[in-house]
Amino acid sequence: MKKIFIYLLVINIIIIALVVILTKNQTRETVLQGLQKEYSVRETSSVDHSKFEILQKPFANPQDATAACLTCHTGRGEEMLKSAHFLWSREEYVEGRGITNVGKKNLLNNFCIGIGTNEASCNRCHAGYGWNHKSYDFTDQKNIDCLVCHDNSGKYTKKNGGAGMPDDSVDLNKVAQNVGKPMKTNCGSCHFYGGGGNNVKHGDLEDALLTSGTDVDVHMGYDGLNMECIDCHPAEKHVMKGKLYAVSSMNRNRALCTDCHTSMPHKETIINEHSLKVACQTCHIPTYAKVNATKMYWDWSTAGKLKDGKPYHEEDSMGNHSYLSIKGDFVWGKNVEPEYVWFNGTANHYLVGDTISDTTQVVKMNQLYGSYEDRDAQIIPVKIHRGKQVYDKKNKVLIQPNLSDSVEGNGAFWTDFNWQKASQKGMEYIDQKYSGDYGFVHTEMYWPINYMVSKKESAVSCIECHSRDGRLKNVSGFYMPGRDFNTFVDKFGLIIIILTLAGVLGHGLLRILSAHKRKK
Amino acid sequence: MNKVYIYKAYERFWHWTQMFIVFLLLFTGFEIHGSYQFFGYEEAVRYHEFAAITFLVLVVFTIFWHFATDEWKQYIPTVKNMKDQANYYLFGIFKNAPHPVRKTQLSKLNPLQRLVYFGLKVVLIPLLIFTGLLYMFYRYEHQGAIESLNIDGLETVATLHTLGAFLIIAFIIAHVYLITTGHTVLSNLKAMLTGYEEFEDDNEVEKKLTASQSAEEEAETVNE
Ligand code: HEM
């Protein structure tokens, strides 16, 4: 009788254990596996553009190529004319400002500062042709550059200092016959090189992503799914999903990890719950600038020094410029641990003409809003690019200097090395007052980190934040186990323990002494 | 010498399991607190939560046992003999005076123990459990996604939980010392292990009484 019970018990335990183990393994990886399957299939184009006659006839200029595209792709021109890639501006609601246009036309940064007077150089990355003056015609569809995004031949480049015109070497017919969906190389041709060089601005977006493995980025690594940018940033009527808070302000149309991965991708509930307050990127991007260095600090105030009347440069140990006469001092960083801030998806920006309330304080070129109390806010990783840049001491505004010019003597800083003239010229061009009294002020710009997602094994571990001096040591407003403690309770607790110990030891000692005495 | 059956089997099981769990809770708890690194944070949290749940199960069973056996009555604080017991710890113990209160199966705790254990069971452990449960199950209110215990922050919960943990340490230190104050240094410990405790028999009590009284008289004459 007893034996039967034991048999039944053992068999039941085995069955239950099997069911538990098997069902666990079944459910665990479906989301990820599903995504892997979905994104491993590559679409192929349904048409062969090289067969189209209109694309075989020579183009007199790039605008003609655009016109040729639009003969078939009707309506796309209107879409592009309204897109941020073409307008470099978005109409957005900004807390404290109301509805404003925000974009490179009216905001400044702490890299090359602003585009006014520098269009020929900066606007090389405009998805259009010939924006070399503020009077540019944003209503002419022929000004749209279709090829920079849709070239699949890899041969299309834009001319240095050419205000968005293609390089003289480009065979427009060849490119036009090899168009397709944008690839990493297309997006990267601008987005990797912001700030005047590879990885200068973002830190997590650079040309090494074209050739690196999943150890650098799990999504784009060649030994993984080798995903394209548009897999996560699909476009709807030429409006890309997602945007960067260096130039935008509203919590809308964002590309989020959870769009694909769901909001509960971990098997441990405690980690899923973290996502209410912690963005995925915070744990899954332990470091950025994993391959090439990124610019962390830019001091414009030292620019303009010459050797024998000529500009010069110096390099740091990694071979990056640490000084350039035209730009000043730089500090670069590689494998950088991000800083962390609260962010609710809305941001403010320094717009041309904003007065600086306190010039002894650091000016925020963009301010990410959010706090612990904010239900929409999460802790996100950021690169903070710090700098020192020119401002008007009397009017208390940041100066938009004229930096580049094709000839010497017109007042551009990069040719003439004179802040006074460069400031005057730049401010006049953007219709701002300039007092003639310039100085340098500290600035900060916040770059949310979204790429170079590490393999899950290398994600940030608990202790890296849950410790006294961990990654989140500067993120305030809440109690975090392992980092925070109540000073009074900790002191009081220690004192109580010491007093109890002392009492017990004293009492014990007296007992031993008195017993000793009694024996005598 | 007398031997009396004091601690029943369940009671002994409960006591030693509780000791083990509380040590684990303390050890992992203070790692979570950031006082040191041993298991690694992730593991410490896992063990602490596992130990906490085991502890809860044990507590539920033990409460049931206390009521089923009427043992709970032993913890009702009483002032009777309290002064004598305090006098014993402060003075008598150094003169080898007899224990003022006799342990029996029906009254295993002296008045001071009653008070301290009552505090432990009614204040300290419930405090730890209550704040611990809040710590474990609080949720951020988040766009209606998860609806349960909504708390704006952990600070109060965590601070009280930590305070409780410090007090438990103090209790353990005092407790471990006080068990050496039985008939012999080890008799209390043996009792919790075997169930049987050794006591002074009446003869010994008599002897001790006269001895400590004569010691007192001696002291008085010396003073004169
Ligand atoms: C003797 C009993 C216990 C002791 C000494 C103890 C000690 C501690 C300590 C020192 C901490 C760190 C607090 C901080 O720094 O914020 C902690 C955390 C914690 N305790 Fe306890 N604890 C005990 C019982 C419990 C119980 C019964 C529960 C649950 C029912 C519990 C749940 C927790 C939780 C959830 C945490 C936060 C860390 C985590 O998520 O695991 N504790 N404990």
Side-chain angles (χ1 to χ4, degrees), chain A residues 266-472:
Chain A
H266 309 96
K267 62 178 198 291
E268 298 89 348
T269 348
I270 197 165
I271 299 181
N272 283 333
E273 273 156 18
H274 273 70
S275 67
L276 293 182
K277 293 286 182 191
V278 183
C280 311
Q281 294 92 323
T282 301
C283 302
H284 289 282
I285 310 178
T287 56
Y288 61 91
K290 287 184 192 169
V291 186
N292 294 300
T294 184
K295 219 170 258 187
M296 302 303 296
Y297 180 73
W298 182 331
D299 182 357
W300 277 102
S301 71
T302 58
K305 288 188 273 187
L306 303 174
K307 267 187 190 155
D308 308 325
K310 286 207 177 79
Y312 66 99
H313 73 265
E314 284 164 6
E315 284 180 6
D316 68 9
S317 59
M318 292 180 279
N320 299 302
H321 289 145
S322 56
Y323 181 76
L324 280 177
S325 296
I326 58 166
K327 293 181 175 178
D329 278 299
F330 305 130
V331 177
W332 296 74
K334 209 180 139 177
N335 280 316
V336 188
E337 195 171 282
E339 296 178 57
Y340 300 90
V341 295
W342 285 108
F343 184 45
N344 64 12
T346 65
N348 198 356
H349 301 271
Y350 182 90
L351 300 183
V352 165
D354 284 354
T355 43
I356 304 165
S357 50
D358 183 357
T359 54
T360 61
Q361 296 282 312
V362 179
V363 179
K364 288 190 169 161
M365 306 306 290
N366 64 335
Q367 187 177 4
L368 306 184
Y369 290 126
S371 66
Y372 173 76
E373 288 80 20
D374 189 333
R375 297 258 158 82
D376 296 322
Q378 289 178 312
I379 295 169
I380 62 156
V382 288
K383 165 187 167 179
I384 303 180
H385 181 255
R386 297 183 165 86
K388 224 173 153 184
Q389 71 196 75
V390 63
Y391 81 108
D392 184 327
K393 281 167 119 172
K394 289 232 174 63
N395 295 328
K396 296 198 169 173
V397 294
L398 290 179
I399 289 172
Q400 149 74 77
N402 172 210
L403 295 174
S404 84
D405 204 313
S406 46
V407 286
E408 259 177 72
N410 283 346
F413 189 81
W414 289 350
T415 49
D416 302 357
F417 302 102
N418 183 321
W419 281 117
Q420 192 65 272
K421 278 195 218 152
S423 303
Q424 190 135 25
K425 203 162 163 233
M427 292 302 263
E428 195 184 304
Y429 180 86
I430 59 168
D431 303 319
Q432 294 291 310
K433 285 181 292 183
Y434 173 54
S435 70
D437 191 5
Y438 71 85
F440 292 86
V441 67
H442 287 278
T443 57
E444 260 175 17
M445 191 170 181
Y446 290 73
W447 293 78
I449 296 292
N450 295 303
Y451 305 100
M452 300 201 176
V453 175
S454 283
K455 293 183 181 180
K456 64 176 181 227
E457 297 79 28
S458 336
V460 172
S461 64
C462 310
I463 189 75
E464 288 180 65
C465 298
H466 289 278
S467 55
R468 297 275 188 259
D469 204 25
R471 286 177 183 253
L472 297 187

Side-chain angles (χ1 to χ4, degrees), chain A residues 270 479 481-482 484, chain B residues 22 25-26 29-30 32-33 45 48-49 52 55-56 128-129 132-133 135-136 158 161-162 165 168:
Chain A
I270 197 165
Y479 181 96
D484 299 320
Chain B
V22 167
L25 283 166
L26 271 177
F30 276 95
I32 296 166
H33 189 59
V45 168
H48 195 80
E49 299 209 338
F55 188 55
L56 284 181
L128 277 162
I129 291 180
L133 284 173
Y135 214 144
M136 216 181 256
H161 198 72
T162 312
I168 287 271

Side-chain angles (χ1 to χ4, degrees), chain A residues 80 211 399:
Chain A
M80 269 306 291
T211 50
I399 289 172

Side-chain angles (χ1 to χ4, degrees), chain B residues 21-32 36 38-39 44 48:
Chain B
I21 296 173
V22 167
F23 267 112
L24 192 61
L25 283 166
L26 271 177
F27 198 65
T28 53
F30 276 95
E31 176 161 7
I32 296 166
Y36 45 79
F38 183 80
F39 292 116
H48 195 80

